[in-house]
Amino acid sequence: MNAINFKGLSNPSLIILTVSYFGILEYVFNTNIKIKSIFYLLFFVLIQKIINSNPNDIENNIKFNKWVNYFGLFFLTIIFQNALLNYEIISIDIPSYLVASNAISFEILPYESQWESKGPLFMYLYKLVIILSNSNYVHFRLLNDVLLFLIAILIYKIIYTKSDSLLSSMNGSILFLIITSYEWYVSEYSEIYCLLFILLQYFYISKYGLNSKTIISSSLLISFSSLVNQGTAIFMMALGILIITKYKKNSLIKLFYSGIVFLIPHMFFYLLYFLNGVEILYLTNYIYIPFSYVDSGNFKLYELVVWLKRYFLYLENLYYLIISLPLFIFFNNLNKKKIYSESFFNDSIYLIVSFAFYFIAGHNYQHHLFYSIVFVAILTSHIVKKPNIYLFTLLIYICTFQLFLNLFPNSFNNLKSLEDTYENYPLYSLSQDLIEYFPDNNYDVLAVDNVLTLFYLNKENLSYIVHPFNHYESYIVESLINTKKLKSNGVSHLSFSIEQEPDIVICLPTQIVSGNPTSSDIFNCEVTDYKKNYTKLDTDSFNNNENKEYYLDPYAKMRVYIKDY
């Protein structure tokens, strides 16, 4: 990272005062979040008065080197993202993505044999990373860290294009990394893949302005993003607003061409599915299910307050930094004759649209805020007024230092022997035991839950649906039954699957649903109660392994059954 020399500052006591204050506020001053927030905001206003009295040029006292900065960002990415690497499962979504992606090939299109909700391009990209990792789950997770690092680099380059300041570039990128170091953002979500396309198109707009070439490239890149996650098509709205703002009455032709370019990749994939006689799968995944998904949502604005409170518990100084960002921007523009700028307008539009993604999705999933976090980081490029950027930089480095001390020991322990970390995964160990039952590799598996085992076994799920929760979403089940890919016997699709008598059955008798212990009413996991030709395996050692999952469900006691021959 940057080597900071504070010798040139005329008021180093300001730094001591700020660091001491935050130390007292976090470690000594024991009161509730509201009172602490008020004390922090009062301090923030006071410190503005002090630093405005003598704004020295800190940036002249910092030695910059772009490649050293890149290495620093990479180092922080690896440390901040791997403190939880010892947990086999953090998000239940990721195993489902792995299984569905692993099933595709040159002959088998996404959705043909296994269904997952994400776009076809996501499946191909996931498959590529699986191949590059040699189907090693730990290596797969580390390669996704590299993608997150590339996002940090794109943020860095976008901010530098806007501000011509390496200090601002580093601040925004580090802010992104420290916010995403929290447990909600350390999994291999589709948002990471989408952001590579969205940020690349935004970089082109920031660097070259809005013209015919950047409109075409942006429309194409947003289209690719929507082929990863359907909902990111909403960023065409942001691009459209920028086009209308710049071209005004002459914007219709630009919007028309933009829309045509956006549709080209989708038409390619639709034609691909049409030629294979399975266009219903594409339409189901891009029209029927997404609209039902939005209708099934229950957005609660209070969840954003919960989001902030969790950061208060995670790292108080990071919480203070987040809530003060609007104030930084306000004081930066104070006394300016013209607050508006094209760059600020563009950043604000993309931030609003990225938040709209979270709002429209309506399920209060924290990882849906990934896009908002990125554009908040980019918006910090407008904190350029010297006293403000100094304080902002100081807070960034305080948080970075604290997080490094907190996360480095676990990350180092997890990374020092990747083989040991991998072998300590309980579902991986279970899969190795199951392989011994079928040395000829001729067996099938029904995994109603713990589907990561399928990835380790390199097997498809006997059920067309992979994600455990999707078995209980009626709008998904009904839509997939209409495609003829999901079979049902009139009782349920899972009942149909168990009647096929798979060689291995993996399920849960009870799990937490909406905060309550719930038993499935469409599938009886106690298979040996009604199938006498199965043997129940002892899975206590796997269920009790603390490395199994980060969000431990005490009711989720996995059952595994082997068919007798």
Side-chain angles (χ1 to χ4, degrees):
M1 292 182 292
N2 301 318
I4 299 184
N5 174 17
F6 291 108
K7 186 176 180 180
L9 293 174
S10 64
N11 193 5
S13 60
L14 173 63
I15 299 168
I16 298 172
L17 173 64
T18 304
V19 173
S20 301
Y21 180 82
F22 278 98
I24 293 170
L25 198 61
E26 179 165 0
Y27 298 111
V28 179
F29 194 28
N30 186 21
T31 185
N32 66 46
I33 183 173
K34 293 180 181 178
I35 296 176
K36 280 193 172 186
S37 298
I38 292 171
F39 271 95
Y40 167 74
L41 295 175
L42 289 174
F43 174 80
F44 184 90
V45 174
L46 174 65
I47 210 73
Q48 287 290 323
K49 296 290 185 180
I50 298 174
I51 60 180
N52 270 293
S53 64
N54 191 11
N56 297 289
D57 193 355
I58 188 175
E59 199 154 1
N60 288 337
N61 293 288
I62 301 177
K63 299 183 183 299
F64 288 104
N65 183 292
K66 181 177 69 173
W67 295 107
V68 172
N69 288 347
Y70 288 170
F71 175 79
L73 292 175
F74 180 76
F75 182 69
L76 290 179
T77 302
I78 297 301
I79 297 302
F80 288 175
Q81 286 289 308
N82 289 290
L84 302 179
L85 188 66
N86 55 297
Y87 292 101
E88 191 170 21
I89 298 173
I90 299 174
S91 167
I92 196 173
D93 294 337
I94 308 309
S96 301
Y97 300 160
L98 285 165
V99 174
S101 302
N102 206 34
I104 65 175
S105 65
F106 289 113
E107 295 81 22
I108 301 175
L109 294 171
Y111 321 131
E112 274 203 289
S113 63
Q114 301 279 265
W115 183 80
E116 244 304 327
S117 61
K118 298 300 180 260
L121 183 57
F122 176 64
M123 303 297 180
Y124 284 115
L125 293 174
Y126 236 53
K127 179 72 171 186
L128 176 61
V129 180
I130 290 171
I131 293 171
L132 292 175
S133 65
N134 197 29
S135 297
N136 182 298
Y137 182 43
V138 170
H139 294 165
F140 174 85
R141 296 173 76 173
L142 291 175
L143 284 176
N144 275 269
D145 293 341
V146 175
L147 298 181
L148 196 78
F149 162 70
L150 292 177
I151 292 172
I153 293 296
L154 283 170
I155 293 171
Y156 183 99
K157 295 181 75 67
I158 289 169
I159 293 177
Y160 185 72
T161 298
K162 291 174 174 292
S163 66
D164 197 31
S165 167
L166 292 175
L167 178 59
S168 293
S169 302
M170 201 66 177
N171 286 347
S173 299
I174 293 177
L175 177 65
F176 167 73
L177 291 178
I178 59 180
I179 293 178
T180 55
S181 68
Y182 190 57
E183 61 200 53
W184 289 329
Y185 304 101
V186 294
S187 293
E188 300 74 38
Y189 290 114
S190 65
E191 283 83 354
I192 296 174
Y193 294 79
C194 291
L195 281 167
L196 292 173
F197 294 113
I198 292 169
L199 286 177
L200 190 58
Q201 65 88 26
Y202 195 64
F203 171 71
Y204 290 149
I205 291 175
S206 301
K207 186 173 179 64
Y208 303 108
L210 203 62
N211 54 54
S212 296
K213 289 184 178 179
T214 55
I215 289 173
I216 290 173
S217 62
S218 293
S219 302
L220 196 62
L221 287 167
I222 294 174
S223 182
F224 289 150
S225 176
S226 68
L227 286 165
V228 172
N229 185 317
Q230 298 91 322
T232 57
I234 195 174
F235 283 95
M236 282 298 291
M237 182 186 300
L239 179 61
I241 292 172
L242 267 54
I243 292 172
I244 292 171
T245 302
K246 179 171 183 177
Y247 293 97
K248 298 179 175 61
K249 293 181 180 180
N250 299 321
S251 62
L252 285 179
I253 188 66
K254 299 288 186 183
L255 291 171
F256 176 76
Y257 283 129
S258 176
I260 293 298
V261 172
F262 173 82
L263 289 174
I264 289 173
H266 283 276
M267 294 306 297
F268 169 80
F269 272 97
Y270 179 79
L271 182 61
L272 187 62
Y273 279 83
F274 178 80
L275 293 175
N276 284 272
V278 289
E279 67 275 9
I280 185 64
L281 299 179
Y282 192 80
L283 294 174
T284 297
N285 224 47
Y286 270 86
I287 297 178
Y288 308 139
I289 290 179
F291 284 105
S292 298
Y293 176 82
V294 172
D295 287 341
S296 68
N298 183 25
F299 176 76
K300 296 178 181 178
L301 190 60
Y302 180 72
E303 289 297 325
L304 289 174
V305 178
V306 174
W307 185 87
L308 277 174
K309 286 183 176 180
R310 290 294 292 271
Y311 274 96
F312 180 81
L313 296 174
Y314 178 56
L315 188 71
E316 288 188 20
N317 286 334
L318 178 54
Y319 161 80
Y320 300 134
L321 178 60
I322 293 171
I323 66 171
S324 62
L325 285 174
L327 288 175
F328 273 114
I329 295 173
F330 171 78
F331 280 109
N332 184 81
N333 291 286
L334 196 64
N335 300 324
K336 279 189 177 181
K337 292 182 179 179
K338 183 180 179 182
I339 297 176
Y340 169 84
S341 70
E342 182 179 342
S343 176
F344 184 80
F345 176 80
N346 293 351
D347 293 346
S348 300
I349 291 299
Y350 270 78
L351 176 59
I352 291 169
V353 169
S354 64
F355 179 73
F357 177 94
Y358 173 76
F359 175 80
I360 293 172
H363 285 71
N364 306 304
Y365 295 146
Q366 292 87 356
H367 61 87
H368 286 168
L369 286 169
F370 235 123
Y371 309 103
S372 301
I373 293 169
V374 164
F375 284 100
V376 165
I378 290 174
L379 202 62
T380 64
S381 64
H382 302 283
I383 305 174
V384 294
K385 197 174 180 180
K386 288 180 180 178
N388 288 283
I389 195 172
Y390 303 160
L391 180 58
F392 181 61
T393 301
L394 183 59
L395 298 186
I396 287 284
Y397 278 86
I398 289 173
C399 293
T400 303
F401 181 70
Q402 284 185 284
L403 278 175
F404 185 83
L405 292 180
N406 293 344
L407 300 178
F408 180 80
N410 284 347
S411 293
F412 178 77
N413 189 57
N414 292 333
L415 294 168
K416 68 180 180 181
S417 177
L418 294 177
E419 185 177 348
D420 288 346
T421 300
Y422 196 25
E423 290 180 352
N424 286 333
Y425 288 164
L427 292 181
Y428 175 75
S429 299
L430 172 64
S431 67
Q432 303 310 298
D433 291 346
L434 292 174
I435 288 172
E436 295 181 3
Y437 284 90
F438 304 95
D440 59 356
N441 199 37
N442 184 23
Y443 61 97
D444 52 17
V445 185
L446 171 62
V448 185
D449 211 294
N450 291 284
V451 298
L452 186 57
T453 311
L454 292 165
F455 175 71
Y456 293 139
L457 296 173
N458 195 25
K459 290 289 183 179
E460 296 180 11
N461 202 356
L462 189 65
S463 169
Y464 180 57
I465 294 177
V466 182
H467 197 295
F469 290 171
N470 287 341
H471 291 294
Y472 309 102
E473 297 285 359
S474 58
Y475 71 90
I476 291 177
V477 172
E478 291 169 5
S479 296
L480 296 180
I481 287 177
N482 290 335
T483 67
K484 310 300 182 185
K485 285 290 184 178
L486 185 65
K487 309 292 184 182
S488 177
N489 61 2
V491 178
S492 73
H493 64 288
L494 289 176
S495 176
F496 175 86
S497 296
I498 197 65
E499 289 305 320
Q500 308 306 304
E501 296 198 342
D503 296 298
I504 301 174
V505 179
I506 303 172
C507 58
L508 298 176
T510 306
Q511 59 184 342
I512 299 294
V513 178
S514 300
N516 300 307
T518 306
S519 298
S520 171
D521 57 357
I522 64 171
F523 177 73
N524 183 359
C525 182
E526 302 295 349
V527 174
T528 51
D529 287 353
Y530 55 94
K531 290 285 186 181
K532 302 304 180 183
N533 57 332
Y534 279 81
T535 298
K536 180 180 176 182
L537 301 186
D538 182 1
T539 55
D540 286 346
S541 61
F542 304 109
N543 286 323
N544 298 328
N545 191 313
E546 61 182 10
N547 293 324
K548 183 173 181 287
E549 53 189 332
Y550 183 73
Y551 298 105
L552 181 63
D553 182 350
Y555 296 94
K557 299 300 183 182
M558 175 179 56
R559 304 282 195 270
V560 178
Y561 302 91
I562 302 290
K563 185 178 179 181
D564 299 327
Y565 285 97

